Amino acid sequence: KISVLRGRAMLVALLCVAGMHDIVIAGAGLHGASLAYYLAKRGAKPLLVDAKGVACAASGKGGGFLARDWGRGVTAQLHKVSFKLHEELAAELGVESYRKISVLQVQPGDRTRRTIDICQWLDGDSVADSNYLDKHGAAQVTPGELCNKLVDEAVRLGATLKIGKVQDVVLAEDPEGGGRRVEGVIVDGETIRAPKVAVTMGPWSALAEDWFGMPVPMTGIRSTSLVFRRDEPVEPFALFVGEDDRYGTHLEVYPRNDASVYVCGIGGSEYVDGSRLKAGEYAPGDVHPDADRVEAGTRAFSSLSKSLGGEPSVTQACMRPCPPDALPIMGAVGHIQGAYISCGHNCWGILWAPVSGKAMSELILDGKASCVDLAPFSPARFMPKAQVGSRGRKRGAQAVGEQW
């Protein structure tokens, strides 16, 4: 049901609210931060709203792996353009965690005389073999740092950050007969006037189903991750480890330049459908790790690396947003003037954040994205029945890492 405020009292209250923002962005994760940054660079004055704060969910807990050439079909453009934008943003904003990194594919199993040792800290007894997966087309960034620096720069350029929960979108009939249009949003009971709104709330963008009266099919994937901290810098190799039946894991390992090591692909992920997310079962910033998977991931990683394994310093979990066709949802809401949505970026959310923010800013300000083609990601595609695809990380057509 589309939420449209009617009645004289509501309209009077709306008109009495001071100030008018160019656009309200609901969600201050990387996609909202990126959109705010690119809008502000062009002179717009967005209001960025989040219930918990900047990077409070997956954008503060993700691995930050970036791959230029791992896209396929319509997503290839997102990989290539956004990979370049990450490098540009690192230079412009002074993102210290950004660096190029080589990628290894590791086969778990018993170490033998034929085991090839490429990475020095891959010194455990359960490394059967390793080989290069990508030597020159990968990089990494700590997403929390990037997200905060995007928001800081956006605010410097004229954006505003507000901590509060977006509860509804105020819609009205266009007096010129153009259908419905956005008039504002309700944040913690307060009506904030704006002619445009963009929903960038990750898996919680499922709430837009009620706000816009359209399908926003979403599954949240609750996954546990670990961070190991060491005193000395760790040789920069990202690892994609084959399935390890002993622990039920499919590890991805990312050493960072702050001497920490991020580990995910621990398995045992929980699938949370959109109705549960909308009901508030898992609130942003309130997603906790699975203790059994913490133990399994710790044992699996320690079996691969004696020098870096042991007890993790941080155990955490995040909720990845996964549409049923494994493609992001990006574009204008066709039947409501001034309404936009950008969500569902799956396991590539960190990589695709810059290009998504830039493309959506072009769509909002110019009426069309120019840096990439957004047509394959249109929100309108879910009006007919969608096709379901595998939703794990891929290098082209090759499944790499945990699949779901």
Side-chain angles (χ1 to χ4, degrees):
K1 181 180 179 180
I2 297 179
S3 176
V4 182
L5 294 182
R6 297 184 177 91
R8 182 178 178 185
M10 284 295 184
L11 289 175
V12 170
L14 177 62
L15 293 172
C16 289
V17 177
M20 169 74 83
H21 296 276
D22 295 340
I23 180 171
V24 174
I25 303 170
L30 259 174
H31 288 266
S34 177
L35 176 56
Y37 168 78
Y38 283 109
L39 285 171
K41 278 192 74 173
R42 294 187 55 186
K45 307 295 182 185
L47 173 65
L48 182 62
V49 183
D50 197 281
K52 295 287 187 178
V54 177
C56 70
S59 294
K61 299 176 181 178
F65 176 69
L66 315 174
R68 181 187 61 210
D69 304 318
W70 289 29
R72 184 188 183 197
V74 296
T75 66
Q77 57 173 338
L78 303 181
H79 279 256
K80 292 182 183 298
V81 176
S82 212
F83 189 84
K84 183 179 180 181
L85 288 174
H86 268 285
E87 187 169 15
E88 294 174 0
L89 288 172
E92 291 172 12
L93 303 178
V95 181
E96 297 178 358
S97 60
Y98 175 86
R99 65 177 176 180
K100 300 292 180 64
I101 191 169
S102 295
V103 185
L104 300 182
Q105 190 166 39
V106 178
Q107 182 60 42
D110 294 334
R111 178 179 288 276
T112 68
R113 293 179 179 179
R114 296 184 177 181
T115 299
I116 299 174
D117 289 315
I118 301 174
C119 172
Q120 292 183 354
W121 51 265
L122 200 57
D123 56 2
D125 295 329
S126 297
V127 180
D129 207 356
S130 63
N131 58 275
Y132 280 99
L133 185 62
D134 194 334
K135 280 189 176 183
H136 306 296
Q140 66 178 156
V141 69
T142 300
E145 181 198 5
L146 175 59
C147 194
N148 278 281
K149 288 189 172 178
L150 283 167
V151 172
D152 289 346
E153 182 63 9
V155 170
R156 189 187 72 80
L157 293 171
T160 302
L161 174 65
K162 179 180 179 63
I163 304 304
K165 184 177 181 179
V166 176
Q167 298 168 310
D168 209 342
V169 176
V170 182
L171 304 178
E173 296 294 336
D174 190 330
E176 299 180 359
R180 293 184 174 91
R181 57 182 172 83
V182 171
E183 284 203 344
V185 298
I186 299 177
V187 179
D188 293 336
E190 174 192 4
T191 300
I192 298 175
R193 296 181 62 201
K196 298 178 181 179
V197 62
V199 176
T200 61
M201 296 166 57
W204 295 278
S205 298
L207 289 163
E209 287 190 329
D210 298 330
W211 300 342
F212 298 148
M214 60 177 285
V216 185
M218 190 71 65
T219 299
I221 310 296
R222 183 178 73 98
S223 298
T224 298
S225 58
L226 313 172
V227 179
F228 297 80
R229 301 196 187 280
R230 294 297 173 258
D231 296 328
E232 299 295 330
V234 180
E235 189 179 12
F237 282 104
L239 309 183
F240 281 81
V241 184
E243 188 169 357
D244 193 331
D245 293 333
R246 296 170 303 168
Y247 308 110
T249 58
H250 211 311
L251 296 187
E252 299 176 22
V253 182
Y254 308 124
R256 291 171 169 167
N257 61 6
D258 64 353
S260 68
V261 181
Y262 179 97
V263 179
C264 63
I266 293 172
S269 297
E270 179 185 4
Y271 296 69
V272 183
D273 67 37
S275 62
R276 293 169 64 190
L277 294 169
K278 288 163 62 176
E281 186 171 338
Y282 287 99
D286 193 29
V287 181
H288 302 293
D290 182 321
D292 290 340
R293 302 323 300 166
V294 168
E295 180 181 358
T298 299
R299 293 175 63 193
F301 179 60
S302 298
S303 74
L304 298 174
S305 178
K306 295 177 181 178
S307 54
L308 300 181
E311 289 300 313
S313 301
V314 177
T315 63
Q316 58 189 10
C318 65
M319 191 76 70
R320 293 194 304 275
C322 298
D325 62 359
L327 296 177
I329 303 170
M330 292 191 288
V333 177
H335 62 289
I336 300 175
Q337 183 180 343
Y340 302 87
I341 189 166
S342 180
C343 63
H345 294 79
N346 204 343
C347 53
W348 292 114
I350 309 303
L351 170 62
W352 291 345
V355 72
S356 298
K358 186 173 184 179
M360 290 297 296
S361 73
E362 293 168 345
L363 177 64
I364 291 166
L365 297 177
D366 304 329
K368 182 179 180 181
S370 56
C371 64
V372 291
D373 179 14
L374 289 180
F377 316 117
S378 170
R381 73 184 188 272
F382 291 111
M383 296 301 185
K385 185 177 180 181
Q387 298 296 317
V388 178
S390 62
R391 296 175 292 184
R393 201 188 300 276
K394 293 179 177 62
R395 181 175 185 263
Q398 176 188 6
V400 177
E402 183 183 10
Q403 303 291 304
W404 51 88

